[in-house]
Amino acid sequence: MIAITNVTGFDGFGGKLKDATVLMNQGKIERIGTDIDLPNDIEVIDAKGKVVTPGLIDVHTHLGVFEEGKGPSGHDFNEISDAATPHIRALDGVNPFDRGFKDAIKGGVTTVQTLPGSANVIGGEMVTIKTHGTVVDEMVLREPSGLKAATGENPKRVHGGKGKMPTTRMGVAGVLRQKLIEAQNYLEAREKGEKQRNIELENIGKVLTHEIPLRVHAHRAEDITTVLRIKKEFGIDVSIEHCTEGHLIPEYIAKHDVSVAVGPTMGSRSKVELENKGWHTLPVLDEHGIEFAITTDHPVIEIGLLMASAIMSVKNGLTEETALKALTINAAKHLGIEDRVGSIEEGKDADLVIWSGDPFDLRNSVERTFINGKEVYSS
């Protein structure tokens, strides 16, 4: 049991805590209040003069499957042997000893979603994990947490370059539709006892039965509208990943009840799809009532810079409350884990960060990170 006293900071919902005590017990936040009688035999951490936030969440990373400093041998995030590989799982490629996990907890990031890459139209299942541990199965929060798909230039380049479909945006959409239809037919046949198991179609079937969303890499406005068109055609849950040109069609996105992950905005305009990339996307989405999370797309941007991304979003028009929600409760909602993480609430996982001062001042840094009530980083 650990008590953090004199807690001043952000609760994750856009509100603030002042001079509170947070009691952590058996991995959970047991009590929050300003008048808690503490037993004599517990560890007490005085946070006076510091700022406390929920553990940060990065909803779109390749942490553990795209290892830093390893070169091609550490690149386990794109299975490019086929344009559709729904049967692979990020879970099977995560190395919990990837250096990026240390950078995550040093930067206050306690939860991430790890995805296959965007080389394929369908890339495989993703997993949501805590950022500290030695066995990935023991780090899992939600598995699978979505099925990765991708539109645009990446699948065109990777497979079109081999003379295979897709070579166009039409081809990308065609492959995705075909696989969804095959999965529909498979589910119907399985109900009648007419089909043996097929792991590829089973995994797509999880999208059709609303067990998991289809999370689609889509930068340009026309790719975003294609994703929303397919969402309507098949009646599935989707999230827009990157949403670089979302500011061009915010009214249309707002009509479709989708969650959005924006980023990595700190990166360069390295390809045609990023021509209109900028911090302006975030305030426009916010003005239209579209909830979003902010991502680094690690290792495109190093995961320790997630808070720096929030700082840049405030510099460019977001409020601090909205920016922090994009790393906490809205990020948790994006991943469907808001019952566990994303805010400082009684009953939730004790994932907390103590900062040396205001986290929106880049001169301040993380002093302590807690995951499941255990201190996993101390400066």
Side-chain angles (χ1 to χ4, degrees):
M1 186 179 293
I2 300 174
I4 305 177
T5 60
N6 296 310
V7 170
T8 295
F10 300 85
D11 63 8
F13 284 108
K16 294 186 177 180
L17 301 168
K18 185 173 177 57
D19 297 329
T21 294
V22 178
L23 185 62
M24 302 184 290
N25 189 25
Q26 297 184 339
K28 299 290 184 179
I29 298 173
E30 184 171 285
R31 287 194 65 192
I32 304 169
T34 56
D35 187 21
I36 298 176
D37 291 327
L38 300 176
N40 294 325
D41 58 346
I42 70 168
E43 180 181 356
V44 177
I45 298 171
D46 187 354
K48 189 174 182 62
K50 315 295 183 183
V51 176
V52 178
T53 68
L56 307 183
I57 302 169
D58 195 329
V59 301
H60 184 117
T61 80
H62 307 288
L63 192 62
V65 295
F66 190 164
E67 299 176 58
E68 295 181 271
K70 298 291 181 65
S73 64
H75 296 180
D76 275 330
F77 64 111
N78 272 321
E79 176 61 53
I80 62 173
S81 53
D82 194 275
T85 56
H87 52 305
I88 70 170
R89 300 178 181 179
L91 178 71
D92 296 322
V94 174
N95 176 9
F97 298 98
D98 177 8
R99 172 62 184 268
F101 284 104
K102 291 183 179 179
D103 293 333
I105 60 175
K106 183 178 180 181
V109 181
T110 56
T111 298
V112 297
Q113 182 172 230
T114 291
L115 294 71
S118 54
N120 300 341
V121 178
I122 302 178
E125 290 187 342
M126 50 198 69
V127 61
T128 296
I129 55 179
K130 297 292 182 78
T131 54
H132 184 265
T134 58
V135 178
V136 66
D137 303 71
E138 296 174 351
M139 299 158 65
V140 169
L141 255 177
R142 184 182 181 192
E143 200 286 316
S145 50
L147 183 67
K148 176 69 181 290
T151 60
E153 299 301 317
N154 286 6
K156 283 173 52 183
R157 171 179 51 81
V158 171
H159 298 284
K162 301 174 183 178
K164 298 179 179 180
M165 190 173 182
T167 64
T168 64
R169 279 179 160 75
M170 295 180 295
V172 170
V175 170
L176 184 53
R177 284 192 178 93
Q178 180 62 36
K179 288 298 181 181
L180 286 164
I181 290 170
E182 289 177 14
Q184 284 179 328
N185 294 338
Y186 170 78
L187 291 178
E188 291 174 3
R190 285 285 290 174
E191 286 182 3
K192 299 174 183 177
E194 298 174 357
K195 284 279 187 180
Q196 293 184 342
R197 292 188 64 184
N198 180 312
I199 190 173
E200 294 187 27
L201 299 179
E202 279 185 14
N203 285 0
I204 300 173
K206 296 173 188 176
V207 172
L208 293 168
T209 58
H210 301 278
E211 183 179 337
I212 56 175
L214 188 69
R215 301 193 187 278
V216 191
H217 165 114
H219 284 286
R220 286 188 6 180
E222 68 266 40
D223 293 328
I224 296 169
T225 55
T226 294
V227 174
L228 298 177
R229 189 179 307 119
I230 290 173
K231 167 183 165 62
K232 183 177 180 181
E233 289 174 18
F234 289 90
I236 58 177
D237 301 320
V238 306
S239 68
I240 305 297
E241 305 292 319
H242 302 306
C243 202
T244 302
E245 292 188 350
H247 59 280
L248 299 180
I249 52 169
E251 295 90 352
Y252 192 71
I253 295 173
K255 295 176 182 178
H256 287 82
D257 187 29
V258 290
S259 185
V260 171
V262 182
T265 314
M266 291 182 76
S268 65
R269 296 181 181 87
S270 58
K271 53 186 176 180
V272 65
E273 294 174 305
L274 304 180
E275 179 183 1
N276 290 311
K277 178 187 68 65
W279 297 104
H280 49 273
T281 301
L282 294 167
V284 172
L285 294 178
D286 187 43
E287 289 165 10
H288 287 82
I290 300 167
E291 286 193 354
F292 54 84
I294 294 173
T295 177
T296 63
D297 196 10
H298 175 91
V300 178
I301 300 298
E302 192 263 303
I303 194 164
L305 295 174
L306 183 60
M307 191 66 214
S309 296
I311 292 171
M312 288 299 298
S313 73
V314 171
K315 182 177 179 180
N316 287 273
L318 284 190
T319 65
E320 290 184 356
E321 291 75 16
T322 300
L324 192 65
K325 285 170 67 177
L327 311 185
T328 54
I329 193 61
N330 286 352
K333 290 178 181 177
H334 185 85
L335 300 179
I337 53 173
E338 67 271 24
D339 61 325
R340 293 279 304 275
V341 295
S343 59
I344 300 177
E345 286 185 273
E346 293 179 0
K348 285 196 173 181
D349 292 2
D351 295 356
L352 300 170
V353 182
I354 301 177
W355 302 79
S356 60
D358 180 2
F360 285 98
D361 184 335
L362 197 55
R363 294 169 295 183
N364 292 318
S365 59
V366 173
E367 291 194 347
R368 295 186 176 194
T369 301
F370 296 84
I371 295 179
N372 298 329
K374 177 183 177 182
E375 186 174 305
V376 297
Y377 173 77
S378 177
S379 62

